[in-house]
Amino acid sequence: MKKIIFGLLAVVIILVIYFFNALAAPSGESATVGFVITAGESLKAVSADLKKAGLIKNDFVFQIYAKLKKQQGKILAGEYFLAKNMSAGKILAALTSGEAVNNEKIITIIEGWRAEEIGAYLEQRGIGSQKEFLAKE
């Protein structure tokens, strides 16, 4: 009986160590990776994509972790820049807090501007070049 209890305890300890090791950052590399989540994408699909991008060690463990934290339905669509040295917990926090990259810019085009003036304005704001804008007319 003692051998069975000891064996079960050893298995539980090994599984806990594996679980926490799988939640650690997969790399010490601080390089960021662009990561996109589309609207309606499931936790399983997101975790598989995170694994393919080298951002997590184990997609199944990430799914379990998200469910334990009750965050499985709170992952938000968007474009994220995630570092390879982020733990699974930090990645989950980023994906559920809405820290997505905001690529929107507000512009004001004044009535009466010529195409050249609009193109120069867009170029000044870093949206595109005047030449590209005028070529699309």
Side-chain angles (χ1 to χ4, degrees):
M1 184 67 170
K2 287 183 181 181
K3 288 182 180 181
I4 293 174
I5 293 173
F6 181 73
L8 288 174
L9 184 61
V11 168
V12 169
I13 290 171
I14 290 170
L15 288 174
V16 168
I17 291 170
Y18 177 79
F19 183 80
F20 284 106
N21 181 48
L23 293 176
S27 170
E29 190 179 329
S30 63
T32 57
V33 176
F35 187 78
V36 178
I37 299 175
T38 57
E41 200 168 356
S42 69
L43 174 61
K44 185 175 183 178
V46 170
S47 61
D49 291 343
L50 286 168
K51 172 81 171 113
K52 286 178 193 170
L55 293 164
I56 59 172
K57 292 180 180 179
N58 187 307
D59 54 337
F60 182 68
V61 171
F62 184 81
Q63 291 174 50
I64 291 171
Y65 180 72
K67 289 176 183 178
L68 288 173
K69 292 288 189 177
K70 297 182 175 151
Q71 299 294 309
Q72 68 269 23
K74 297 181 180 179
I75 293 176
L76 302 172
E79 181 180 353
Y80 298 86
F81 285 115
L82 305 171
K84 289 192 173 193
N85 64 356
M86 292 173 75
S87 67
K90 287 183 180 178
I91 289 175
L92 183 61
L95 300 181
T96 56
S97 68
E99 295 177 16
V101 177
N102 185 357
N103 291 330
E104 296 177 3
K105 292 186 180 185
I106 297 174
I107 61 169
T108 304
I109 298 179
I110 307 298
E111 185 178 350
W113 275 1
R114 296 184 329 272
E116 295 83 13
E117 293 171 313
I118 295 172
Y121 175 77
L122 294 175
E123 187 169 0
Q124 180 186 16
R125 297 283 188 259
I127 296 171
S129 74
Q130 181 179 21
K131 186 177 180 179
E132 289 175 342
F133 179 75
L134 294 173
K136 294 182 180 183
E137 276 192 285

